[in-house]
Amino acid sequence: MVACAVGPQRLLAIALLLAAVGACSNIHAGDPLAFVNEARQRVDALHDSNYRFDALFVDFNSDGCPDIFIISHSDWGATSQLWNNRCDGSGTFRHVPASEAGYYIEGPPLVSGWVTRLDFNGDGRQDFWGRHGSAMGARYRNGSADGSPTPRFAAKEEGCEGYCAFADITGSGNLEVITDNRQVLDTAGRQLRPASGKKALQVVGDITGDGWPDIVQPANGGYWRNDAGTLAWVAVPAFTGDSFMQMLLADFDHDGHLDLVKTRFQDNLGLWRNNTDTRGRRWMKVRVRGGGGNSDGVGASVRWYQAGTNQLVSHMPVLVGEQHPQTHLHTGLAGHQVVDLEVRFPSGGPVYR
């Protein structure tokens, strides 16, 4: 556990940095990189594609071994491919066609990329959720039988329109969906918070250190502060109100505050350092480590409770996708100096508290 306290204002103050990014490495200039192409040795069927795609490692059949999943963009998923890890120690993969596994079903709603793997119905199995431009995107519910060597998706369902993020905004203890017009829905599509403000790409994280995830929309010039489930707009002068293509929240300077990185087509990297005065609120950064092929604990549910009680302080799942490229979790703990930490592993795995 790492906890720290910081100083005096309530409003979010973020300093704009014009960043020039370099790289450092322990590899000397003359040293070759030792990569070996093992595709044809490890994968029993290769399918060429001329399409842009997303690639994921994900354990769809819950056998502890990561499978390879490719989602094609330009043809709305028609040439998506799944290679199932044989999980026999050979390190080889068997191609599973969509007709067998059900990861592509023709017709709307569609997926044209921007895929997040997550357990949206809470049954412990890894599902996936995709975007289809500004139209309704699809999500696929995993129906793999326990112990089955082959993944199988039970249904394709409507996901959400446009660009969506995932977090527990209301403190329900469940995963919720946040749309780009700031609407908050449960995973059954019921509205929990109405839309508000202009549409803008959003990223979600606890930037105020109180244990509640906030909704950051730099293109609108500010963020929605989450006060125990109530959302209030706060303007941030450092945000230029421009359209961003990609965003990420991360504590790059290790001061306990989530900072913002943005990229945009034909533009430079932008980096905003979070100087928020969190009034002595503490924070914790957690990295879940699992066994077998799921070493990053993807799909695990992590909850922070007031010490010795079941009163929830914060709740975050371990997700992987466009909005969730980091496998460690970062949350504020409000005024709590000591908390209980609970980790529930997916697929009926162990629970630690």
Side-chain angles (χ1 to χ4, degrees):
M1 175 195 298
V2 180
C4 71
V6 281
Q9 290 166 314
R10 174 74 177 162
L11 287 180
L12 179 67
I14 295 186
L16 171 60
L17 304 178
L18 297 178
V21 177
C24 62
S25 171
N26 291 325
I27 299 173
H28 298 290
D31 292 346
L33 294 176
F35 284 92
V36 178
N37 183 354
E38 295 210 358
R40 296 195 180 279
Q41 290 76 31
R42 301 285 180 175
V43 180
D44 65 2
L46 292 175
H47 298 265
D48 293 330
S49 174
N50 294 321
Y51 300 113
R52 182 180 171 214
F53 60 86
D54 289 348
L56 302 175
F57 275 118
V58 56
D59 182 13
F60 278 140
N61 59 338
S62 304
D63 61 359
C65 296
D67 309 307
I68 301 172
F69 188 42
I70 306 295
I71 287 281
S72 58
H73 286 219
S74 303
D75 60 356
W76 303 337
T79 58
S80 297
Q81 306 290 341
L82 172 64
W83 285 272
N84 187 39
N85 193 325
R86 287 189 169 91
C87 207
D88 58 3
S90 66
T92 59
F93 296 81
R94 180 180 74 89
H95 176 252
V96 183
S99 58
E100 182 180 344
Y103 54 82
Y104 170 74
I105 299 174
E106 188 175 1
L110 299 168
V111 174
S112 56
W114 300 278
V115 174
T116 297
R117 56 179 176 182
L118 74 171
D119 176 15
F120 65 75
N121 61 344
D123 66 356
R125 297 181 178 89
Q126 288 293 287
D127 314 302
F128 70 92
W129 192 304
R131 179 185 171 198
H132 185 51
S134 60
M136 176 63 71
R139 66 187 190 187
Y140 282 73
R141 178 162 46 86
N142 193 335
S144 302
D146 292 340
S148 171
T150 302
R152 178 70 193 178
F153 290 91
K156 178 175 75 169
E157 304 170 353
E158 289 190 346
C160 60
E161 293 182 350
Y163 193 85
C164 295
F166 307 94
D168 181 5
I169 295 293
T170 68
S172 66
N174 300 307
L175 196 64
E176 296 162 352
V177 183
I178 303 96
T179 68
D180 53 12
N181 63 0
R182 208 230 61 176
Q183 191 177 28
V184 180
L185 311 168
D186 67 14
T187 55
R190 292 182 290 263
Q191 180 176 277
L192 304 176
R193 299 290 184 272
S196 185
K198 297 185 297 182
K199 280 192 173 185
L201 296 184
Q202 78 283 33
V203 64
V204 177
D206 178 17
I207 57 174
T208 58
D210 62 358
W212 292 81
D214 308 296
I215 304 171
V216 185
Q217 292 183 307
N220 282 344
Y223 76 106
W224 293 95
R225 187 180 65 232
N226 188 348
D227 292 326
T230 299
L231 298 171
W233 179 252
V234 180
V236 180
F239 293 160
T240 59
D242 202 355
S243 178
F244 296 160
M245 294 295 293
Q246 180 66 283
M247 293 177 291
L248 167 66
L249 287 173
D251 181 14
F252 77 89
D253 53 359
H254 300 292
D255 66 352
H257 301 78
L258 287 174
D259 309 298
L260 178 69
V261 178
K262 70 91 181 175
T263 61
R264 188 179 66 186
F265 181 63
Q266 294 182 333
D267 195 4
N268 293 325
L269 175 73
L271 178 60
W272 282 261
R273 187 178 66 246
N274 186 343
N275 290 332
T276 304
D277 179 356
T278 56
R279 299 192 177 192
R281 292 168 177 159
R282 295 173 181 266
W283 55 278
M284 186 184 292
K285 187 178 293 186
V286 172
R287 185 174 183 185
V288 177
R289 301 299 287 171
N294 189 13
S295 60
D296 287 319
V298 173
S301 175
V302 180
R303 301 178 186 224
W304 291 261
Y305 295 96
Q306 292 184 24
T309 75
N310 288 322
Q311 183 66 42
L312 194 66
V313 174
S314 186
H315 169 222
M316 300 181 74
V318 183
L319 305 176
V320 175
E322 188 182 42
Q323 279 264 338
H324 312 275
Q326 299 184 104
T327 51
H328 68 261
L329 306 176
H330 180 119
T331 187
L333 299 176
H336 302 285
Q337 297 189 27
V338 179
V339 291
D340 291 345
L341 177 66
E342 178 188 89
V343 179
R344 291 179 175 266
F345 280 89
S347 307
V351 178
Y352 298 99
R353 178 167 176 174

